[in-house]
Amino acid sequence: MTRQVALFRGINVGGNNKIAMAALRATFESLGYHRVSSIIQSGNVCFDGDDSPAAMAITIRRAVAARFDVDVPLVLRTAEAIETVLASVPWKSGDVEPKLHHIMFLADPAPADAFELLGDHTPGAEFAVLGSEIHVRYPHGSARSTFTVNLVDRRLSTTATARNLPTCEKIAAELSRS
């Protein structure tokens, strides 16, 4: 079994798509996944599973939509991939407030021209594209930024979801537990 995390986009954010984490964990367990746990209330579910990521994403998304009448995108990452993402942070520690450093997880690898496709939409933000992730620094916060997951979805023809650095570190800690 491979340790993984499902990163849902838009669960329990801004009062929308409300799902109790206990019920979400139970849904994963009903699908046959093991060691299911959740991190914070916004749809980060750690679990053990061995199907292909594409097959699991489809199965999980359908089960969540059927049980909760909430159809939201999700991106899967293995524990190893999360560790790699955290080891590849493009800025020095202390260069940015951790809550203002977000990582956008893409369902597909970013195209070679991703920087050019996104570059004109980053006033006040700095970003680095690294494989299937985009690290974003929001020195003035992300709330009013035009650099959003919806922009990334449209410009890169993929699905993205974002987490701040402290949340990613919590996910990595949970994934590494035996």
Side-chain angles (χ1 to χ4, degrees):
M1 292 284 204
T2 303
R3 194 81 175 130
Q4 330 208 17
V5 63
L7 304 165
F8 287 89
R9 181 164 93 193
I11 288 182
N12 298 339
V13 176
N16 297 313
N17 300 322
K18 291 185 177 187
I19 298 176
M21 291 300 100
L24 186 58
R25 290 189 304 269
T27 301
F28 274 71
E29 290 167 351
S30 75
L31 294 171
Y33 300 122
H34 302 281
R35 293 195 314 145
V36 178
S37 60
S38 57
I39 307 298
I40 66 174
Q41 297 296 311
S42 59
N44 308 297
V45 181
C46 299
F47 65 99
D48 290 348
D50 268 342
D51 294 332
S52 75
M56 285 189 294
I58 291 168
T59 299
I60 294 166
R61 187 169 181 176
R62 285 181 182 160
V64 168
R67 180 162 183 193
F68 304 105
D69 197 28
V70 171
D71 187 16
V72 293
L74 71 136
V75 175
L76 297 179
R77 289 293 187 271
T78 64
E80 183 180 336
I82 293 292
E83 287 298 327
T84 300
V85 167
L86 291 175
S88 65
V89 170
W91 299 289
K92 293 180 203 165
S93 179
D95 280 357
V96 64
E97 170 69 32
K99 290 187 291 187
L100 301 177
H101 175 177
H102 290 216
I103 301 170
M104 292 186 180
F105 295 90
L106 310 179
D108 306 295
D113 60 347
F115 194 84
E116 291 77 24
L117 291 169
L118 298 169
D120 60 338
H121 290 278
T122 60
E126 179 182 351
F127 71 98
V129 180
L130 301 172
S132 295
E133 285 79 34
I134 301 173
H135 290 260
V136 186
R137 285 174 37 163
Y138 294 107
H140 307 292
S142 62
R144 293 189 186 105
S145 177
T146 58
F147 195 79
T148 65
V149 292
N150 290 327
L151 171 79
V152 171
D153 284 1
R154 284 192 313 273
R155 290 290 178 110
L156 303 186
S157 299
T158 190
T159 296
T161 187
R163 303 294 186 273
N164 66 26
L165 188 58
T167 298
C168 291
E169 290 168 342
K170 288 177 186 174
I171 290 167
E174 179 64 23
L175 288 169
S176 68
R177 284 209 251 188
S178 299

